[in-house]
C-alpha cells in the first residue's frame, strides 16, 4: 500500500472505532430513556392518565429540532427520530394500561 492508502486505511479504522463507541452510547442512552418512560407509563396507568400527551410531544419535537440545529444535525431527521421514539413509548404506555 502507498503511504496515502495506508493513512486512509488508518483513518477509516479510527472513524469506525469512533462510530462503534457512539453506537454503544446511543444504545445505553436509549435504554436509560426507556427506563424512565416505563416509570412514566406505570404512573400514568396508576392514575388513569392517557398514554399520549400531544402538547408535550409537540414541545419536545420543537426542542429537539432546535437542539439539532445547534448541533448541525438535520432537524427533520431529529423530528423523525423523536417521532419514532415517541410512538414506541406510547405503545409501551398502552401496554401498562391493559
Amino acid at each position: 500500500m502507498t503511504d496515502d492508502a495506508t493513512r486512509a486505511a488508518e483513518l477509516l479504522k479510527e472513524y469506525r472505532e469512533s462510530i462503534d463507541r457512539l453506537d454503544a452510547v446511543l444504545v445505553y442512552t436509549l435504554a436509560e430513556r426507556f427506563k424512565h418512560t416505563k416509570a412514566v407509563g406505570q404512573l400514568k396507568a396508576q392514575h388513569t392518565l392517557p398514554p399520549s400527551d400531544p402538547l408535550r410531544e409537540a414541545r419536545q419535537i420543537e426542542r429537539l429540532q432546535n437542539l439539532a440545529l445547534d448541533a448541525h444535525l438535520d432537524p427533520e431527521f431529529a423530528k423523525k427520530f423523536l417521532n419514532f421514539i415517541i410512538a414506541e413509548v406510547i405503545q409501551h404506555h398502552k401496554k401498562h394500561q391493559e
Side-chain angles (χ1 to χ4, degrees):
M1 259 199 271
T2 68
D3 286 344
D4 283 347
T6 300
R7 182 65 186 137
E10 289 170 1
L11 281 172
L12 183 60
K13 182 178 184 250
E14 290 173 18
Y15 289 149
R16 288 179 172 164
E17 288 171 352
S18 291
I19 290 167
D20 292 350
R21 282 191 300 276
L22 290 167
D23 285 345
V25 169
L26 284 171
V27 167
Y28 280 94
T29 301
L30 283 171
E32 183 71 14
R33 187 185 196 286
F34 275 94
K35 182 172 73 173
H36 290 283
T37 60
K38 180 180 180 182
V40 168
Q42 291 169 339
L43 185 65
K44 285 181 173 185
Q46 290 169 355
H47 296 279
T48 321
L49 297 170
S52 177
D53 183 346
L55 184 58
R56 174 166 166 73
E57 293 157 18
R59 284 194 314 260
Q60 285 297 96
I61 288 168
E62 182 178 347
R63 186 178 77 81
L64 199 67
Q65 285 182 299
N66 288 330
L67 288 171
L69 286 171
D70 290 344
H72 306 287
L73 180 69
D74 179 3
E76 279 305 305
F77 170 77
K79 180 180 177 179
K80 289 176 190 175
F81 181 71
L82 189 58
N83 277 327
F84 174 77
I85 291 172
I86 289 170
E88 190 68 21
V89 167
I90 290 169
Q91 290 304 313
H92 290 192
H93 289 184
K94 287 179 180 178
K95 287 179 184 175
H96 286 295
Q97 293 185 343
E98 292 174 352

